[in-house]
Amino acid sequence: MDSKPTLSRKKFQIKVKTIKLLFVLMALVILTMIVVHPQDPLWARDRDNYELYAKYGFGYFDQYFSQGGYLSVISNEPLFISINGLLGYIFTPDTVVLILVGVGYFVTNFVISRENDYSILPVLMYLLLPQTLKNNVMQTRQGLAVAWYLFFLTQNNRFFKSFRFFSVFIHTGSAILIVADIFRSCMRKFNFRKGQMVVSFAVLSMIIAKVVPTLSQFVGDRRADEYDFLADSGVSGLAWIFWLFFFVIFFVISESDQYSDISLLGIIFYLSTYFNFDLSGRAFEFFVPVILLSLFRQKGSWEKYVLIFILMMYAAMGWYQNGGITGWLATT
């Protein structure tokens, strides 16, 4: 007697999910075109640098090998160079950049939405946050690395899931994501509690901040001479206060899964190194998409919606303080 209603309910659920999927795909196609299309020098000013990778492709391997041998090649994003080199055989350099921007933006948003039952809200939040938009509009390499990491992180097959570690060969900055990921797995394997895991990673984060300059020089990373890795004297501390507040609430409401744990470790890394490591904010940007994915997955407590609201206020304040999109891009 109950089989027909049950079957009908399942069909209805499948239909709703299909409609949501199609709606999200349509929205993502439109938003991806908006992100990819602009050719204004202010909006896409860094794309000329990325076009060089598509233009010279595998020639970068020779350059890095001459500077430091195989170690230098491995530490300077060989997967990103290879992707550009292969696409450069087929498309023009400017088209290659547009493809990478589009793929990075689309995949990241699709994964975040898929893990939240194809909700459009995380997609809109991703577009609103200055840090996440910047990663795709200007920092093509970082956006692609995050997309790669998230796509394979959410796979069920353990073999394919392990491919997420290769994101470091697209952008070496994603190494902090991988460190947090591996650290989380080790802590959970030995049954460490969430608080113990966070405190331990805070200590490790401060050690990492001290080691990175020396390590960058040793492996021949191309950015080793671009940064002094010291404290940024221009920081106001407002972002630190915001993320501390966010961290406390999120720590209380978050479930103990891989997304929440990695998010917590990312925030504690930022809080621990904010005042003595000038790349703490840049490294933290790798965690923001994971935080969004995790936040919208939390059960419907009022604290969750408070965090979403203050995140929206944080985004609005960021845009306002920097004079909107054009003003922010000009100062980034």
Side-chain angles (χ1 to χ4, degrees), residues 58-79:
F58 296 105
Y60 277 95
F61 286 139
D62 296 330
Q63 175 185 327
Y64 291 129
F65 185 81
S66 65
Q67 293 174 355
Y70 290 110
L71 185 60
S72 180
V73 171
I74 294 174
S75 63
N76 282 283
E77 294 121 356
L79 183 54

Side-chain angles (χ1 to χ4, degrees), residues 56-233:
Y56 298 108
F58 296 105
Y60 277 95
F61 286 139
D62 296 330
Q63 175 185 327
Y64 291 129
F65 185 81
S66 65
Q67 293 174 355
Y70 290 110
L71 185 60
S72 180
V73 171
I74 294 174
S75 63
N76 282 283
E77 294 121 356
L79 183 54
F80 183 74
I81 293 173
S82 299
I83 292 172
N84 277 272
L86 292 173
L87 291 176
Y89 284 129
I90 306 172
F91 305 101
T92 59
D94 58 327
T95 302
V96 172
V97 175
L98 297 183
I99 290 172
L100 296 182
V101 172
V103 169
Y105 182 86
F106 185 91
V107 171
T108 298
N109 279 275
F110 179 76
V111 170
I112 293 174
S113 179
R114 184 191 64 194
E115 294 300 309
N116 286 281
D117 195 28
Y118 296 110
S119 171
I120 194 67
L121 292 178
V123 174
L124 296 176
M125 182 63 74
Y126 188 89
L127 187 66
L128 285 173
L129 285 173
Q131 295 95 330
T132 52
L133 182 60
K134 174 166 65 74
N135 290 344
N136 291 275
V137 175
M138 296 175 63
Q139 298 167 3
T140 306
R141 182 179 7 237
Q142 185 168 334
L144 190 64
V146 169
W148 179 288
Y149 177 82
L150 278 181
F151 178 79
F152 288 108
L153 177 68
T154 55
Q155 299 301 307
N156 294 322
N157 184 284
R158 293 185 64 181
F159 174 74
F160 288 114
K161 196 181 185 75
S162 65
F163 276 49
R164 69 191 187 276
F165 298 129
F166 287 98
S167 63
V168 74
F169 298 124
I170 296 177
H171 194 302
T172 53
S174 63
I176 188 60
L177 262 177
I178 295 171
V179 170
D181 192 334
I182 295 174
F183 184 86
R184 180 259 173 191
S185 298
C186 293
M187 292 295 102
R188 289 305 183 188
K189 184 177 181 179
F190 293 103
N191 297 318
F192 277 72
R193 294 181 179 180
K194 185 162 59 174
Q196 295 171 319
M197 178 180 64
V198 166
V199 171
S200 300
F201 196 73
V203 175
L204 179 61
S205 297
M206 290 184 282
I207 296 174
I208 290 173
K210 296 295 183 182
V211 171
V212 163
T214 303
L215 184 62
S216 298
Q217 290 283 354
F218 176 75
V219 300
D221 187 276
R222 59 188 172 80
R223 290 169 293 263
D225 298 323
E226 296 179 14
Y227 302 102
D228 56 16
F229 300 101
L230 301 176
D232 187 350
S233 58

